[in-house]
Amino acid sequence: MSLNTLPVVIKNITPEQVVIITDGIVAGVDEVGRGPLVGDVVTAAVILDPNKPITGLNDSKKLSEKRRNALYHDIINNALSVSVGRASPAEIDELNILHATMLAMQRAVAGLTIQPKRVLVDGNRVPDFGIASHAVIKGDGLVDAISAASIIAKVTRDAEMDILDSQYPQYGFAKHKGYPTKAHFEALALHGVLAEHRKSFKPVAERMLLQDK
């Protein structure tokens, strides 16, 4: 088995394949925030240092907030390079969420201080990085570099939602992080649409129509 025989999208990745695709300077990439009604979609690219292994890496959604935050600092302090990319609500509205996410991933990889020889992305799609790349299904729980990227992206975006919560406490962003929950719908109905909301997302668009009447 070699890199040349692996597909661009890797399903059911084996431990042997993980070893093959993570050999050398490799960047893991993941995103957080495709589903929320508000704020940026945030991506991260991480190149881990093989001489400074980080224990406990996993899909950020499977970690407690306390554990995520601890690992975030471990990654920042020990990785060879960490970069965050994003796309704004305006870009999401213009491009759609999928294309905005791909753009944010490209920005994250472009921001790395070291050029990776390969990029590994969680999921089933890869944008054009100009670098050899693979999409790894459920990679955020199987490939350490992608796990690290998911943690960086999650902690970064959650912190931004906490800041937004301090500006607009009536919306409850610290709790639901901008996702389409009952509490968020109720806040939209009561207080209306903010500049930070994604106007192309259906619940927001519907609320804007009511505001205009």
Side-chain angles (χ1 to χ4, degrees):
M1 185 182 300
S2 68
L3 280 170
N4 295 331
T5 63
L6 289 174
V8 173
V9 179
I10 305 174
K11 301 178 182 178
N12 303 314
I13 193 168
T14 66
E16 181 184 7
Q17 290 171 332
V18 171
V19 171
I20 291 171
I21 65 172
T22 57
D23 180 49
I25 302 298
V26 175
V29 174
D30 201 2
E31 56 76 24
V32 171
R34 285 179 63 168
L37 307 178
V38 69
D40 295 350
V41 59
V42 176
T43 62
V46 177
I47 300 175
L48 293 173
D49 186 343
N51 297 315
K52 296 179 180 179
I54 301 170
T55 58
L57 293 171
N58 201 347
D59 173 3
S60 62
K61 297 185 294 295
K62 296 179 180 178
L63 299 167
S64 69
E65 182 179 1
K66 181 179 179 180
R67 187 68 184 128
R68 274 199 307 271
N69 289 336
L71 284 166
Y72 173 92
H73 292 290
D74 286 345
I75 296 161
I76 293 294
N77 292 330
N78 293 290
L80 292 175
S81 186
V82 176
S83 173
V84 172
R86 62 183 64 250
S88 68
E91 289 173 319
I92 292 168
D93 292 338
E94 178 184 356
L95 300 172
N96 78 38
I97 186 60
L98 173 61
H99 289 100
T101 301
M102 296 297 105
L103 175 62
M105 288 182 173
Q106 290 172 320
R107 288 170 172 168
V109 171
L112 290 166
T113 56
I114 299 172
Q115 173 89 357
K117 75 172 186 179
R118 189 173 307 105
V119 180
L120 307 175
V121 179
D122 179 57
N124 59 6
R125 293 175 183 267
V126 287
D128 182 7
F129 295 113
I131 302 169
S133 55
H134 295 276
V136 183
I137 304 294
K138 297 184 179 179
D140 50 3
L142 299 168
V143 179
D144 281 354
I146 301 177
S147 300
S150 79
I151 292 165
I152 295 293
K154 172 70 172 165
V155 173
T156 298
R157 192 178 192 282
D158 282 359
E160 292 171 2
M161 286 296 100
D162 290 343
I163 293 170
L164 200 62
D165 182 79
S166 68
Q167 296 171 331
Y168 307 103
Q170 67 271 33
Y171 286 82
F173 293 128
K175 291 184 178 179
H176 56 67
K177 307 304 184 189
Y179 282 88
T181 64
K182 181 182 177 182
H184 196 174
F185 291 147
E186 290 173 350
L188 272 173
L190 281 172
H191 308 294
V193 175
L194 298 171
E196 292 84 357
H197 273 106
R198 302 172 182 179
K199 311 302 189 297
S200 59
F201 279 40
K202 186 177 179 180
V204 180
E206 289 176 346
R207 183 66 184 90
M208 289 177 68
L209 284 175
L210 291 174
Q211 287 179 202
D212 291 339
K213 288 183 178 179

